[in-house]
């Protein structure tokens, strides 16, 4: 199973994208495609599908800053992305649904495109001197013409962990989630932390449990707007859960209770491959003991 946004075949062309002539040749390539956004969601074509068109023609459409940016090359095909001005095309469904329905290859393009476009939108000005920054290297960075600072797209590492003890695991829910939905705990890493320390701190803060061991499982880019979810199994000392203010509820679940949770309508809203939370829970379910 390929987790959504994790297909590794997309070549970011890090050694070539800073060369304007090379980017021009990619843009002119007859195979070059551009995926177009309307706000944070995909723009729609006339048939109601994602608006994906030849990059050369997409470059002529009215777009928000930073305009058309280079995303990468997949199987010899260059990909670009841009965010259309309002009114140019209809806005599609919530991006989560578009990404969940896409092939693994397209989902990796969509995720990288959305993360980069959202970053540009929020970094039009230099955080060092306040001047307007310029797009550089076909959208892979911004440069301040006033103080010379280079600004690179930001990734926010977050830990996401399945907490378990004995034959039970901990799942929580946030107040804005659909009714009946429970999932793994998660939180942003803080400066000065290792991954393990962030896991221990988050579990202590969120449910007041003491984690005794941490095992890395996998990671997943999460373009909402640009996290890297670091998936962990966290063994904890058993105890009473005390959910913090961000959680509406947190409970201990047996394996049978978790399986029952997966059979509810709310669990079937998203495919299994969409989130690393599901992968972590299924890993625990498949372990017969402890
Ligand atoms: Zn500056």
């Amino acid at each position: 199973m390929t987790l959504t946004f994790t297909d590794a075949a997309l070549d970011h062309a890090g050694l070539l994208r800073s060369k304007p002539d090379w980017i021009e040749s990619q843009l002119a390539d007859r195979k070059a495609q551009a995926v177009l956004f309307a706000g944070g969601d995909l723009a729609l074509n006339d048939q109601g599908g994602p608006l994906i068109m030849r990059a050369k023609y997409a470059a002529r459409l009215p777009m928000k800053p930073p305009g058309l940016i280079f995303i990468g090359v997949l199987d010899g095909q260059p990909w670009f992305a841009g965010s259309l001005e309002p009114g140019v095309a209809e806005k599609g469904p919530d991006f989560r649904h578009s990404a969940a329905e896409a092939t693994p290859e397209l989902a990796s393009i969509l995720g990288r495109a959305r993360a980069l476009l959202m970053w540009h939108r929020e970094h039009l000005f230099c955080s060092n001197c306040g001047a307007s920054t310029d797009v550089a290297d076909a959208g892979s960075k911004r440069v301040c013409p006033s103080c010379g600072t280079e600004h690179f797209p930001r990734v926010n590492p977050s830990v996401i962990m399945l907490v378990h003890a004995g034959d039970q695991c901990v799942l929580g829910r946030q107040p804005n989630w659909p009714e009946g939905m429970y999932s793994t705990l998660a939180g942003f890493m803080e400066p000065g932390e290792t991954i393990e320390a962030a896991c221990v701190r988050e579990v202590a803060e969120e449910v007041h449990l003491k984690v005794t061991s941490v095992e890395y499982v996998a990671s997943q880019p999460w373009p909402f707007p640009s996290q890297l979810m670091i998936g962990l199994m966290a063994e904890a000392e058993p105890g009473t859960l005390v959910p913090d203010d961000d959680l509406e509820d947190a409970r201990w679940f047996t394996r049978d209770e978790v399986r029952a949770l997966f059979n509810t309508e709310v669990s079937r809203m998203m495919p299994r491959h969409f989130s690393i939370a599901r992968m972590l829970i299924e890993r625990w379910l498949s372990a017969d003991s402890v």
Side-chain angles (χ1 to χ4, degrees):
M1 182 179 76
T2 303
L3 271 175
T4 303
F5 307 123
T6 65
D7 188 82
L10 181 67
D11 179 3
H12 300 175
L15 300 177
L16 292 167
R17 65 194 181 202
S18 60
K19 303 179 194 310
D21 289 352
W22 186 80
I23 289 293
E24 278 303 316
S25 72
Q26 299 300 293
L27 197 57
D29 189 318
R30 295 182 66 83
K31 300 188 298 296
Q33 296 282 289
V35 57
L36 298 169
F37 286 73
D41 300 314
L42 294 180
L44 293 183
N45 61 25
D46 291 343
Q47 287 77 44
L51 181 51
I52 296 172
M53 62 191 296
R54 197 169 154 190
K56 189 171 96 170
Y57 301 129
R60 300 171 189 165
L61 295 174
M63 281 189 210
K64 291 184 174 177
L68 205 62
I69 60 170
F70 174 72
I71 301 302
V73 179
L74 185 65
D75 296 331
Q77 184 175 33
W79 282 85
F80 292 79
S83 187
L84 294 170
E85 289 283 3
V88 179
E90 202 178 325
K91 188 183 170 85
D94 185 276
F95 181 76
R96 280 175 167 77
H97 292 281
S98 307
E101 288 175 6
T103 63
E105 295 80 11
L106 181 59
S108 68
I109 293 164
L110 299 180
R112 177 165 160 77
R114 187 178 195 272
L116 283 171
L117 289 171
M118 298 292 275
W119 174 78
H120 278 285
R121 197 177 76 177
E122 294 171 358
H123 293 80
L124 300 176
F125 298 95
C126 179
S127 56
N128 187 45
C129 76
S132 291
T133 52
D134 297 330
V135 181
D137 292 2
S140 59
K141 68 177 181 182
R142 300 185 73 90
V143 178
C144 176
S146 176
C147 73
T149 302
E150 292 181 309
H151 300 277
F152 293 93
R154 178 175 170 149
V155 176
N156 300 301
S158 304
V159 286
I160 179 164
M161 47 265 162
L162 195 276
V163 178
H164 61 96
D167 59 358
Q168 292 187 304
C169 76
V170 175
L171 300 177
R173 61 169 276 109
Q174 294 175 12
N176 58 337
W177 287 0
E179 195 178 337
M181 181 178 169
Y182 281 80
S183 190
T184 51
L185 306 180
F188 286 108
M189 291 186 63
E190 294 190 353
E193 277 183 330
T194 61
I195 291 170
E196 293 83 354
C199 175
V200 170
R201 175 186 53 74
E202 278 291 335
V203 174
E205 287 176 2
E206 292 193 19
V207 292
H208 285 220
L209 283 187
K210 183 177 179 184
V211 168
T212 54
S213 77
V214 178
E215 177 198 358
Y216 171 80
V217 176
S219 63
Q220 182 187 29
W222 195 241
F224 304 100
S226 189
Q227 283 88 275
L228 175 67
M229 307 307 290
I230 302 166
L232 308 165
M233 304 297 284
E235 190 168 5
E237 291 180 357
T240 303
L241 302 176
V242 185
D244 77 355
D245 292 345
D246 292 341
L247 291 174
E248 182 182 85
D249 189 22
R251 294 186 202 167
W252 288 103
F253 287 80
T254 65
R255 285 187 170 80
D256 283 346
E257 287 169 336
V258 172
R259 289 188 187 102
L261 211 57
F262 281 170
N263 279 326
T264 58
E265 197 177 331
V266 68
S267 272
R268 289 192 288 266
M269 282 165 54
M270 278 296 176
R272 287 174 59 229
H273 57 76
F274 188 63
S275 106
I276 196 169
R278 179 72 177 248
M279 174 192 266
L280 296 173
I281 295 169
E282 290 194 2
R283 182 186 175 94
W284 177 75
L285 281 179
S286 66
D288 288 325
S289 59
V290 185

